[in-house]
Amino acid sequence: MSSANPLTSSKGPALTNGSGAAAMLAAGIGSFTLAVLALAADKLAPIKSALVFYKPTGPLSGVTTVAILVWLLAWVLLEMLWAKKTVAVGRVIFVAFVLLGLSFLLTFPPIGDLF
Amino acid sequence: MEITFRSLWTIIHGMGFGALYLLACSGALIELYRLTCSSAPSESTPGQTRFLKIYLVTMTALAWAAVLTGAYVIYPWYRATPPPGTVDLSMYPQRLLMSRPSTSGWHSLGMEWKEHVAWVAPISITMVAFVFIRYGRDLVNHKRLRAAVLGFAAASFLAAGLAGFFGAMINKAAPAQGGPTIHLREGAEK
């Protein structure tokens, strides 16, 4: 039995890190957009009514639909830009996790109520 | 033995999709950790890697099914507005929760957080599945991407766990009721 990790390629990475970094940053952007839109819909009546895409679900329908569209658009654009590139993935991941963390915090009502 | 149409959908949403997702998530976290962070030699075969890809795609489908049924099937029943003068609020869970100080927090904190944070779960796990499918066995050559994939999977688990906890507590305090009654089995007479 070989002691080497069979997943490890001795030739180094076959793919650049750009595609993975693009997917992660887009997920962070999508989550953060959702939190900002939820906050905006809670505080501003015109935005709340503009985000009612499906009346029985109320503004949640617009908040989530727009956030998903922003997420997918950001993903497509970043994928087009970075797919074949090697990027500074540490910084990209840091930003993605900051956005993800903010989305948890901003959707938490006691924090959202501070704005 | 019978169940209402709304209760059945609540079970499908919460236990069929949500709880199954949480169970699957705990398994995925262990497997992703083993595959990506363990310093011990991995014995994973291409077949096992393929299995994990299918597992992650199934998890992604469960996560999306949970939030979509939650937002477009259950939530409209939850937030329905009662006609003026309605005294019995049992068919209007949001209003029932808000009518008592002892339960209003389940809406103002629980549902207000759950209805938004839950969506982080499918967004994160979709990304995790994509990255794992895209890179496959080459992911082991990208240390930072591996760690981030694990982090996003953990965030997805946290978001789904929060949504599941508040969903269960809200349904306990003010269950979604109504709709046609489905008879499952005739009970024996006493």
Side-chain angles (χ1 to χ4, degrees):
Chain A
M1 188 188 295
S2 168
S3 62
N5 188 335
L7 292 177
T8 308
S9 165
S10 58
K11 297 171 190 168
L15 294 167
T16 61
N17 62 18
S19 190
M24 284 170 194
L25 185 56
I29 290 170
S31 301
F32 182 68
T33 303
L34 185 122
V36 170
L37 286 173
L39 198 60
D42 191 44
K43 304 294 172 194
L44 304 164
I47 292 179
K48 183 177 185 175
S49 56
L51 287 170
V52 179
F53 290 3
Y54 176 62
K55 207 173 176 187
T57 299
L60 180 65
S61 57
V63 166
T64 53
T65 302
V66 173
I68 289 168
L69 290 175
V70 168
W71 164 49
L72 294 176
L73 186 65
W75 194 350
V76 169
L77 290 174
L78 288 167
E79 176 73 15
M80 286 167 65
L81 287 172
W82 292 352
K84 292 178 181 174
K85 291 182 180 173
T86 297
V87 300
V89 74
R91 263 185 288 174
V92 172
I93 289 169
F94 175 76
V95 173
F97 274 105
V98 168
L99 293 173
L100 187 68
L102 285 172
S103 69
F104 273 90
L105 292 175
L106 291 176
T107 54
F108 184 55
I111 292 179
D113 290 344
L114 296 174
F115 294 91
Chain B
M1 198 168 124
E2 57 189 30
I3 190 170
T4 66
F5 183 72
R6 292 184 181 183
S7 294
L8 179 64
W9 267 107
T10 306
I11 290 170
I12 291 169
H13 160 71
M15 293 182 74
F17 299 136
L20 193 55
Y21 178 77
L22 282 169
L23 283 171
C25 216
S26 57
L29 280 170
I30 292 167
E31 186 61 11
L32 286 171
Y33 178 82
R34 191 185 70 79
L35 276 176
T36 62
C37 291
S38 174
S39 58
S42 171
E43 298 296 330
S44 295
T45 63
Q48 288 170 326
T49 306
R50 197 180 318 117
F51 174 80
L52 185 55
K53 287 178 183 176
I54 294 167
Y55 190 90
L56 289 170
V57 169
T58 306
M59 281 180 66
T60 302
L62 281 174
W64 282 109
V67 294
L68 290 172
T69 53
Y72 292 99
V73 180
I74 316 290
Y75 190 59
W77 296 329
Y78 172 82
R79 69 187 293 272
T81 307
T86 303
V87 178
D88 179 9
L89 295 172
S90 60
M91 299 285 283
Y92 305 94
Q94 179 183 346
R95 303 305 168 111
L96 180 62
L97 291 176
M98 292 170 73
S99 68
R100 293 173 297 201
S102 60
T103 57
S104 62
W106 290 120
H107 171 74
S108 61
L109 192 143
M111 180 54 88
E112 292 284 343
W113 198 14
K114 166 192 162 63
E115 71 187 37
H116 296 119
V117 81
W119 292 79
V120 172
I123 290 174
S124 296
I125 207 68
T126 302
M127 185 280 288
V128 168
F130 169 81
V131 171
F132 199 81
I133 289 166
R134 183 68 182 261
Y135 287 85
R137 292 155 67 85
D138 193 40
L139 195 59
V140 80
N141 294 311
H142 298 275
K143 190 180 174 185
R144 283 175 166 166
L145 286 184
R146 280 182 300 164
V149 160
L150 192 61
F152 268 93
S156 178
F157 183 64
L158 176 64
L162 287 168
F165 168 73
F166 283 115
M169 298 309 291
I170 288 165
N171 196 52
K172 189 176 162 68
Q177 299 181 79
T181 301
I182 300 159
H183 295 276
L184 300 172
R185 189 172 177 270
E186 284 299 322
E189 281 188 31
K190 264 191 166 179

